[in-house]
Amino acid sequence: MAALSTASRVLAKKVLSAKALPAVSQSSRKLHFSVYGKNNSKVSDGISTQYPVVDHEFDAVVVGAGGAGLRAAFGLSEAGFNTACVTKLFPTRSHTVAAQGGINAALGNMEGDDWRWHFYDTVKGSDWLGDQDAIHYMTEQAPHAVVELENFGMPFSRTEDGKIYQRAFGGQSLKFGKGGQAHRCCCVADRTGHSLLHTLYGRSLRYDTSYFVEYFALDLLMEDGECKGVIALCMEDGSIHRFRSKNTVIATGGYGRTYFSCTSAHTSTGDGNAMVTRAGLPCQDLEFVQFHPTGIYGAGCLITEGCRGEGGILINSEGERFMERYAPNAKDLASRDVVSRSITIEIREGRGCGPEKDHAYLQLHHLPPQQLATRLPGISETAMIFAGVDVTKEPIPVLPTVHYNMGGIPTNYRGQVITHTPEEGDKVVPGLFACGEAACASVHGANRLGANSLLDLVVFGRACAHTIADICTPGEKLSPLKTNAGEESVANLDKLRFADGNMRTSEIRVNMQKTMQNHAAVFRTGKVLKEGCDKMDAVYQTLDDIKTFDRGIVWNTDLVETLELQNLMLNAVQTINSAEQRQESRGAHSREDFKDRMDELDYAKPLAGQVRKPFEEHWRKHTLSTVDPKTGKVTLKYRPVIDNSLDAEDCAAIPPAIRSY
Amino acid sequence: MSLLRVCASTSIFRSTQGLFVESAFTGCLRTASGAAKDKEPLRKAKTPQGRFDMNDEKTKDPLEKFPDDVNPATKEHGGPRGPEPTRYGDWERKGRCVDF
């Protein structure tokens, strides 16, 4: 036996030397990611002896590796900074991969174009709640950003001449709305987001970014109002890691999962917004959530409006074509918000379908199957896969679905996170940056235009990297941090890991999602929102009664889901409370009891002779919400909209007007 | 020969000794009796293996590729297959709306 083993060992050695293994590259460049960051990390027990903490030091840390996070991470690495990218998902699995639409840029390949016209369209689309300096920055940088992506290797579709093909999409016009439809949307077949993410990830491998994949960021390390890093849980082995750095960029994405029906991935849990809230900083405009009227019940995929355009009808539990009552002329072809509200009203009045009476039906089986197959190819597969129905025999269950969150962490046009006081105005939080869907530089304002969000990701990811490169130099000494920084996060983790209440994580989550779907969705009135706020408060208190089952520390998904639930709750209470306070209808936030926009002047009438309303009495302002995490109480403040562009001669700001298309 | 005798002797006990005996000897009884053909065929387990075996032909993609990947109407190279995704004002693909 021993002889056999020695023989095999000898043999193995022989085989190895005989094969002459290919020489590992002799260059001094490290692998693109370091799994445990062994080079600059040390274990400390400053926080607790039960949870050994590994400390890392970097010049910049990026939390999140979607479109914005990757662009910021390798922008920083390119500028020479020692960057870490902390992400709870592998970069190519981030939700950016699901984006198909395209990127808007005024390249002028199809007809003459000017980025100032794109600026006008975006300002108008945001219902004058967008900060015009940030929109100026984004639309001016758009052509550079798209050309840069194309140089990185992103395979845009081309015209005959070889230029990037641009199509009409997303409410874009020429000559400030007077010149007809503009063609600005550049896309990569039908997988723009997928291709963007893969291009950025591939490009980032050229630089020495350290990737910390499957590390769940718990909290920001704040000291004296300055952000000094992030504390994260390594999901793989349960160790706690503190990433100390002078610059932290948050790019964690949106929080669609607060609602019962949403198109976002299960991982869109608003972690960045919650981290900022726990640090005592405000979040901006969370009440602006973009809905789509017909999303498949349960799956969350959206059914195109073309179905109704081709003759599909919406029916309630009584089999009635209810759109005839809400929009007698347009019927099912009414605008999206009218359809969303009608479906919600039908469900609220008890005429919803299904065992829980919480959705409507989209009926297509009265149309000839041939017509369906030619006009809408692929819909039968979609209906079968996602709804489990045969579209030629049964109706598809649909309900209004969340698609995008316009609100998030307030930043200026350079990507720096700001707070606001009435005396001093906007003040930058040193060391903290945000970009992507998690941020609200407010380019989307009250409503996002299609194909602008991918543009937002790349432009502001790049902006964060440029700003950091302007302010700091690589290799700067870090300011000292208390040895027990982050101990509340670890205490919270410990509490959740051994939680032994009565309600499971999934039960509390479903309660929250249903409350948000019923009260803070498309149909908003004072009474419904107030009821929702009270219910959400009750659900928030049940978090103390939570029960987890997995007591381990390695790959504890129960724990991670519970942490995500805490984050979702913070987002949800802010959303519904902000919506309840905002007494007007603007963009995606529409209320039945306050149907008009309330600006400082009434822009529907001639402006001469009107008295400007004071700041407290009108609603053309950003909401800044903060939460006390222990009680769940939300405090709201307001911040004025930035109405001047970056350069008044180059691009004049657009004065507010009535938004009609 | 000896096998048959064993099987025959145990068959007497089959009814008395219960199912576990039967299940153990069913195989050899079947082969011995050669009466497998009039029993229904063993159904394949619904494992992924079985599902792939039944479905041989590849599902056809409802969206056809353009010749040379060039859209004949708009002359777009490398664009999305099938009808124009933005024809209804949103980005539509196989009945699903992805962006609007």
Side-chain angles (χ1 to χ4, degrees):
Chain A
M1 191 58 194
L4 196 65
S5 59
T6 38
S8 67
R9 243 183 295 130
V10 168
L11 216 63
K13 269 211 187 105
K14 267 219 169 66
V15 167
L16 273 173
S17 53
K19 259 195 194 159
L21 290 167
V24 175
S25 75
Q26 301 297 323
S27 70
S28 58
R29 217 169 73 89
K30 310 185 286 282
L31 286 179
H32 79 275
F33 67 89
S34 46
V35 178
Y36 298 107
K38 289 207 173 66
N39 296 330
N40 53 359
S41 60
K42 38 195 186 301
V43 184
S44 77
D45 54 1
I47 295 185
S48 98
T49 45
Q50 270 191 318
Y51 291 93
V53 174
V54 182
D55 280 329
H56 308 260
E57 286 184 6
F58 285 96
D59 290 327
V61 175
V62 177
V63 183
L70 282 181
R71 183 66 188 83
F74 85 71
L76 287 165
S77 299
E78 200 179 14
F81 288 84
N82 189 11
T83 316
C85 187
V86 176
T87 165
K88 71 179 183 187
L89 300 171
F90 191 77
T92 54
R93 300 275 184 258
S94 308
H95 193 48
T96 311
V97 79
Q100 282 191 18
I103 308 185
N104 275 337
L107 293 168
N109 288 338
M110 307 302 282
E111 71 247 324
D113 205 352
D114 190 347
W115 63 265
R116 295 168 190 83
W117 302 338
H118 186 190
F119 169 77
Y120 170 79
D121 293 325
T122 309
V123 171
K124 181 176 170 189
S126 76
D127 222 347
W128 279 276
L129 199 70
D131 290 329
Q132 296 201 21
D133 59 346
I135 299 178
H136 173 152
Y137 182 77
M138 183 179 86
T139 49
E140 189 180 9
Q141 296 292 316
H144 303 298
V146 170
V147 169
E148 200 181 44
L149 281 175
E150 196 264 333
N151 290 341
F152 289 155
M154 193 161 154
F156 285 105
S157 60
R158 304 280 172 171
T159 60
E160 289 258 287
D161 310 330
K163 293 193 191 168
I164 296 178
Y165 184 87
Q166 294 181 284
R167 46 175 31 83
F169 186 55
Q172 304 291 324
S173 64
L174 298 166
K175 299 207 184 67
F176 303 105
K178 303 185 188 71
Q181 178 73 45
H183 295 77
R184 275 188 204 126
C185 176
C186 316
C187 64
V188 177
D190 62 344
R191 49 177 202 283
T192 313
H194 171 105
S195 168
L196 171 73
L197 207 55
H198 282 259
T199 308
L200 288 177
Y201 182 61
R203 186 75 189 180
S204 73
L205 300 181
R206 276 187 176 227
Y207 307 101
D208 284 330
T209 316
S210 309
Y211 279 98
F212 290 88
V213 178
E214 284 162 2
Y215 279 64
F216 187 90
L218 297 168
D219 265 314
L220 296 173
L221 300 170
M222 301 284 292
E223 208 170 283
D224 306 321
E226 194 184 320
C227 180
K228 298 198 173 173
V230 182
I231 182 167
L233 166 75
C234 173
M235 301 205 277
E236 190 180 342
D237 62 11
S239 53
I240 312 282
H241 294 251
R242 279 195 299 205
F243 296 90
R244 286 183 58 195
S245 87
K246 207 153 180 280
N247 308 293
T248 309
V249 181
I250 299 185
T252 47
Y255 57 95
R257 283 281 148 185
T258 45
Y259 286 82
F260 183 70
S261 181
C262 63
T263 60
S264 352
H266 288 279
T267 48
S268 295
T269 49
D271 300 326
N273 296 353
M275 279 167 36
V276 155
T277 304
R278 282 193 289 263
L281 298 169
C283 285
Q284 180 171 279
D285 292 341
L286 290 184
E287 66 267 34
F288 293 101
V289 181
Q290 199 175 41
F291 285 86
H292 189 273
T294 48
I296 298 184
Y297 180 75
C301 302
L302 304 175
I303 293 283
T304 176
E305 292 176 56
C307 289
R308 288 175 281 126
E310 293 294 336
I313 59 177
L314 287 162
I315 54 177
N316 59 13
S317 58
E318 294 165 9
E320 179 208 353
R321 185 178 176 181
F322 59 83
M323 284 309 300
E324 284 177 346
R325 275 187 283 123
Y326 296 95
N329 294 327
K331 295 195 219 190
D332 295 278
L333 296 174
S335 69
R336 270 198 290 270
D337 42 342
V338 174
V339 176
S340 305
R341 279 208 290 286
S342 315
I343 300 179
T344 314
I345 295 176
E346 288 294 302
I347 294 171
R348 282 193 74 81
E349 292 182 357
R351 291 188 290 277
C353 314
E356 295 192 32
K357 297 196 177 312
D358 54 358
H359 55 271
Y361 279 140
L362 176 63
Q363 180 180 299
L364 290 167
H365 55 79
H366 60 284
L367 301 168
Q370 281 306 94
Q371 188 189 346
L372 265 185
T374 32
R375 301 279 183 83
L376 292 163
I379 192 166
S380 39
E381 276 89 348
T382 302
M384 181 50 80
I385 294 173
F386 294 106
V389 303
D390 182 354
V391 81
T392 51
K393 296 195 186 66
E394 301 157 292
I396 309 175
V398 294
L399 82 164
T401 303
V402 172
H403 182 65
Y404 186 80
N405 304 106
M406 268 73 75
I409 306 171
T411 71
N412 59 16
Y413 77 94
R414 303 184 73 193
Q416 298 169 301
V417 171
I418 53 179
T419 51
H420 179 84
T421 47
E423 306 85 36
E424 295 171 40
D426 291 337
K427 215 160 70 99
V428 168
V429 174
L432 191 58
F433 299 79
C435 54
E437 195 177 340
C440 184
S442 220
V443 279
H444 306 303
N447 190 36
R448 174 190 74 98
L449 290 180
N452 264 358
S453 90
L454 284 175
L455 179 62
D456 174 20
L457 302 184
V458 286
V459 168
F460 287 100
R462 193 159 147 267
C464 281
H466 285 331
T467 310
I468 295 176
D470 284 339
I471 296 177
C472 308
T473 48
E476 270 183 33
K477 199 158 164 348
L478 294 174
S479 55
L481 184 68
K482 282 209 274 279
T483 41
N484 67 343
E487 91 188 315
E488 300 88 20
S489 320
V490 179
N492 182 39
L493 188 86
D494 192 54
K495 184 185 90 170
L496 290 178
R497 187 172 147 216
F498 295 106
D500 200 15
N502 293 312
M503 299 187 71
R504 313 163 87 105
T505 310
S506 48
E507 284 166 9
I508 303 182
R509 191 171 54 220
V510 150
N511 286 345
M512 171 194 71
Q513 287 175 336
K514 291 218 173 226
T515 309
M516 292 298 282
Q517 186 77 30
N518 289 333
H519 296 272
V522 204
F523 180 73
R524 297 177 175 182
T525 61
K527 188 162 131 341
V528 165
L529 287 168
K530 191 84 194 63
E531 220 181 290
C533 287
D534 297 332
K535 275 196 191 159
M536 266 315 297
D537 191 45
V539 176
Y540 191 92
Q541 306 306 329
T542 61
L543 266 182
D544 296 327
D545 198 22
I546 202 163
K547 183 175 172 58
T548 49
F549 292 87
D550 189 349
R551 301 283 178 239
I553 196 67
V554 174
W555 265 111
N556 190 344
T557 51
D558 199 357
L559 177 63
V560 171
E561 272 190 31
T562 313
L563 289 166
E564 286 177 344
L565 178 62
Q566 280 190 328
N567 295 343
L568 282 174
M569 281 289 203
L570 286 173
N571 284 296
V573 291
Q574 287 183 67
T575 304
I576 198 165
N577 279 283
S578 312
E580 200 247 326
Q581 285 298 316
R582 184 173 279 266
Q583 292 175 336
E584 63 155 359
S585 289
R586 184 185 294 267
H589 173 71
S590 57
R591 283 182 66 154
E592 295 297 301
D593 43 355
F594 297 95
K595 281 198 194 268
D596 301 311
R597 227 172 67 179
M598 218 176 286
D599 304 320
E600 65 276 18
L601 294 167
D602 190 348
Y603 292 98
K605 306 197 184 81
L607 298 179
Q610 283 195 41
V611 175
R612 191 168 279 264
K613 289 204 190 94
F615 187 68
E616 293 75 30
E617 286 180 28
H618 72 89
W619 284 102
R620 201 165 75 85
K621 52 197 184 188
H622 294 296
T623 314
L624 289 175
S625 48
T626 43
V627 188
D628 176 6
K630 293 188 194 51
T631 58
K633 185 160 171 347
V634 178
T635 325
L636 297 173
K637 285 196 317 236
Y638 295 93
R639 175 185 157 239
V641 175
I642 298 179
D643 277 325
N644 49 292
S645 65
L646 288 173
D647 187 342
E649 284 120 38
D650 197 20
C651 169
I654 315 282
I658 292 298
R659 177 172 166 248
S660 61
Y661 285 103
Chain B
M1 256 331 255
S2 55
L3 183 67
L4 265 171
R5 237 188 284 129
V6 167
C7 292
S9 59
T10 49
S11 65
I12 303 164
F13 296 115
R14 198 166 33 130
S15 47
T16 50
Q17 297 217 351
L19 287 168
F20 73 98
V21 174
E22 174 171 49
S23 60
F25 288 102
T26 305
C28 70
L29 275 169
R30 262 212 192 132
T31 45
S33 62
K37 35 184 170 311
D38 57 349
K39 292 203 171 51
E40 59 186 67
L42 283 169
R43 265 194 283 172
K44 253 191 211 152
K46 289 274 187 214
T47 57
Q49 184 65 35
R51 254 213 307 267
F52 283 139
D53 286 345
M54 282 191 275
N55 192 1
D56 274 338
E57 70 281 355
K58 247 175 45 172
T59 47
K60 235 169 56 88
D61 190 3
L63 301 169
E64 283 137 18
K65 210 167 135 85
F66 293 122
D68 279 337
D69 224 7
V70 181
N71 186 327
T74 56
K75 304 278 181 289
E76 183 185 0
H77 290 250
R81 299 181 193 174
E84 169 64 31
T86 54
R87 64 195 189 284
Y88 295 116
D90 55 11
W91 190 277
E92 178 268 338
R93 200 79 183 135
K94 295 190 184 170
R96 276 174 75 179
C97 161
V98 188
D99 202 10
F100 51 95

Short mmCIF file of all heavy atoms in Angstrom, two decimals, chain A residues 31-53:
data_model
loop_
_atom_site.label_atom_id
_atom_site.label_comp_id
_atom_site.label_asym_id
_atom_site.label_seq_id
_atom_site.Cartn_x
_atom_site.Cartn_y
_atom_site.Cartn_z
N LEU A 31 -2.74 38.82 -11.42
CA LEU A 31 -4.03 38.43 -11.99
C LEU A 31 -5.00 39.59 -11.79
O LEU A 31 -4.86 40.37 -10.88
CB LEU A 31 -4.58 37.20 -11.28
CG LEU A 31 -3.92 35.87 -11.60
CD1 LEU A 31 -4.55 34.76 -10.81
CD2 LEU A 31 -4.05 35.57 -13.09
N HIS A 32 -5.99 39.65 -12.63
CA HIS A 32 -6.86 40.82 -12.60
C HIS A 32 -7.67 40.93 -11.33
O HIS A 32 -8.13 41.98 -10.99
CB HIS A 32 -7.78 40.86 -13.81
CG HIS A 32 -8.96 39.96 -13.70
ND1 HIS A 32 -8.90 38.64 -14.05
CD2 HIS A 32 -10.22 40.17 -13.27
CE1 HIS A 32 -10.08 38.09 -13.84
NE2 HIS A 32 -10.91 38.99 -13.38
N PHE A 33 -7.90 39.85 -10.63
CA PHE A 33 -8.59 40.00 -9.36
C PHE A 33 -7.82 39.25 -8.29
O PHE A 33 -7.18 38.24 -8.56
CB PHE A 33 -10.04 39.48 -9.44
CG PHE A 33 -10.16 38.00 -9.65
CD1 PHE A 33 -10.21 37.12 -8.58
CD2 PHE A 33 -10.23 37.48 -10.92
CE1 PHE A 33 -10.33 35.76 -8.79
CE2 PHE A 33 -10.35 36.12 -11.12
CZ PHE A 33 -10.40 35.27 -10.06
N SER A 34 -7.88 39.77 -7.11
CA SER A 34 -7.22 39.06 -6.02
C SER A 34 -8.34 38.59 -5.11
O SER A 34 -9.16 39.38 -4.66
CB SER A 34 -6.27 39.98 -5.28
OG SER A 34 -6.91 41.21 -5.02
N VAL A 35 -8.39 37.29 -4.89
CA VAL A 35 -9.54 36.73 -4.19
C VAL A 35 -9.64 37.22 -2.76
O VAL A 35 -10.69 37.58 -2.28
CB VAL A 35 -9.46 35.19 -4.22
CG1 VAL A 35 -10.63 34.62 -3.46
CG2 VAL A 35 -9.49 34.72 -5.65
N TYR A 36 -8.55 37.26 -2.06
CA TYR A 36 -8.63 37.69 -0.66
C TYR A 36 -7.84 38.96 -0.42
O TYR A 36 -7.66 39.35 0.71
CB TYR A 36 -8.15 36.57 0.27
CG TYR A 36 -9.01 35.35 0.14
CD1 TYR A 36 -8.54 34.21 -0.51
CD2 TYR A 36 -10.32 35.36 0.58
CE1 TYR A 36 -9.35 33.11 -0.65
CE2 TYR A 36 -11.13 34.26 0.43
CZ TYR A 36 -10.64 33.15 -0.19
OH TYR A 36 -11.44 32.06 -0.36
N GLY A 37 -7.40 39.59 -1.52
CA GLY A 37 -6.68 40.85 -1.36
C GLY A 37 -5.48 40.69 -0.48
O GLY A 37 -5.20 41.52 0.36
N LYS A 38 -4.76 39.59 -0.64
CA LYS A 38 -3.74 39.26 0.34
C LYS A 38 -2.62 40.28 0.40
O LYS A 38 -1.90 40.36 1.36
CB LYS A 38 -3.15 37.88 0.01
CG LYS A 38 -4.12 36.75 0.30
CD LYS A 38 -3.40 35.46 0.63
CE LYS A 38 -4.35 34.38 1.08
NZ LYS A 38 -5.27 33.94 0.05
N ASN A 39 -2.47 41.06 -0.69
CA ASN A 39 -1.30 41.94 -0.71
C ASN A 39 -1.37 43.04 0.31
O ASN A 39 -0.37 43.43 0.88
CB ASN A 39 -1.15 42.57 -2.10
CG ASN A 39 -0.88 41.50 -3.12
OD1 ASN A 39 -0.29 40.51 -2.80
ND2 ASN A 39 -1.32 41.73 -4.33
N ASN A 40 -2.54 43.62 0.49
CA ASN A 40 -2.57 44.77 1.38
C ASN A 40 -3.65 44.59 2.43
O ASN A 40 -4.41 45.48 2.73
CB ASN A 40 -2.82 46.05 0.57
CG ASN A 40 -4.04 45.92 -0.30
OD1 ASN A 40 -4.69 44.88 -0.32
ND2 ASN A 40 -4.36 46.97 -1.03
N SER A 41 -3.79 43.40 2.95
CA SER A 41 -4.83 43.20 3.94
C SER A 41 -4.23 42.62 5.20
O SER A 41 -3.24 41.92 5.17
CB SER A 41 -5.88 42.24 3.40
OG SER A 41 -5.28 41.02 3.10
N LYS A 42 -4.85 42.94 6.31
CA LYS A 42 -4.40 42.32 7.55
C LYS A 42 -5.62 42.04 8.42
O LYS A 42 -6.61 42.76 8.38
CB LYS A 42 -3.42 43.24 8.28
CG LYS A 42 -3.77 44.70 8.18
CD LYS A 42 -2.59 45.54 8.60
CE LYS A 42 -2.97 47.00 8.66
NZ LYS A 42 -3.46 47.55 7.40
N VAL A 43 -5.54 40.99 9.17
CA VAL A 43 -6.66 40.60 10.01
C VAL A 43 -6.59 41.36 11.31
O VAL A 43 -5.54 41.51 11.90
CB VAL A 43 -6.62 39.08 10.28
CG1 VAL A 43 -7.84 38.66 11.08
CG2 VAL A 43 -6.55 38.32 8.99
N SER A 44 -7.74 41.87 11.74
CA SER A 44 -7.74 42.58 13.02
C SER A 44 -8.93 42.10 13.83
O SER A 44 -9.89 41.57 13.28
CB SER A 44 -7.85 44.09 12.79
OG SER A 44 -9.17 44.42 12.48
N ASP A 45 -8.87 42.29 15.12
CA ASP A 45 -10.05 41.96 15.92
C ASP A 45 -10.53 43.20 16.65
O ASP A 45 -10.94 43.14 17.80
CB ASP A 45 -9.74 40.81 16.88
CG ASP A 45 -8.52 41.12 17.75
OD1 ASP A 45 -7.95 42.23 17.59
OD2 ASP A 45 -8.14 40.27 18.56
N GLY A 46 -10.44 44.33 15.94
CA GLY A 46 -10.86 45.59 16.55
C GLY A 46 -12.35 45.64 16.81
O GLY A 46 -12.81 46.31 17.72
N ILE A 47 -13.12 44.94 15.98
CA ILE A 47 -14.58 45.02 16.13
C ILE A 47 -15.07 43.94 17.08
O ILE A 47 -15.76 44.19 18.04
CB ILE A 47 -15.27 44.87 14.77
CG1 ILE A 47 -14.91 46.04 13.87
CG2 ILE A 47 -16.76 44.82 14.96
CD1 ILE A 47 -15.64 46.01 12.57
N SER A 48 -14.70 42.73 16.76
CA SER A 48 -15.17 41.67 17.66
C SER A 48 -14.26 40.48 17.45
O SER A 48 -13.68 40.30 16.39
CB SER A 48 -16.62 41.31 17.35
OG SER A 48 -16.67 40.18 16.54
N THR A 49 -14.14 39.69 18.48
CA THR A 49 -13.26 38.54 18.35
C THR A 49 -13.97 37.37 17.67
O THR A 49 -13.36 36.50 17.11
CB THR A 49 -12.76 38.08 19.73
OG1 THR A 49 -13.90 38.06 20.60
CG2 THR A 49 -11.73 39.04 20.28
N GLN A 50 -15.31 37.41 17.70
CA GLN A 50 -16.04 36.32 17.06
C GLN A 50 -15.97 36.41 15.56
O GLN A 50 -16.05 35.42 14.86
CB GLN A 50 -17.51 36.40 17.45
CG GLN A 50 -17.85 35.63 18.68
CD GLN A 50 -19.35 35.55 18.80
OE1 GLN A 50 -20.03 36.55 18.57
NE2 GLN A 50 -19.85 34.42 19.17
N TYR A 51 -15.93 37.65 15.05
CA TYR A 51 -15.91 37.85 13.61
C TYR A 51 -14.58 38.47 13.25
O TYR A 51 -14.40 39.67 13.37
CB TYR A 51 -17.04 38.81 13.20
CG TYR A 51 -18.42 38.24 13.35
CD1 TYR A 51 -19.14 38.44 14.51
CD2 TYR A 51 -18.99 37.50 12.33
CE1 TYR A 51 -20.40 37.91 14.64
CE2 TYR A 51 -20.25 36.98 12.45
CZ TYR A 51 -20.96 37.19 13.61
OH TYR A 51 -22.21 36.67 13.74
N PRO A 52 -13.62 37.67 12.83
CA PRO A 52 -12.34 38.26 12.42
C PRO A 52 -12.55 39.16 11.22
O PRO A 52 -13.27 38.81 10.29
CB PRO A 52 -11.49 37.04 12.04
CG PRO A 52 -12.45 35.95 11.81
CD PRO A 52 -13.66 36.22 12.63
N VAL A 53 -11.97 40.32 11.29
CA VAL A 53 -12.18 41.33 10.25
C VAL A 53 -10.88 41.50 9.48
O VAL A 53 -9.82 41.63 10.07
CB VAL A 53 -12.58 42.66 10.89
CG1 VAL A 53 -12.66 43.74 9.85
CG2 VAL A 53 -13.91 42.52 11.59
#
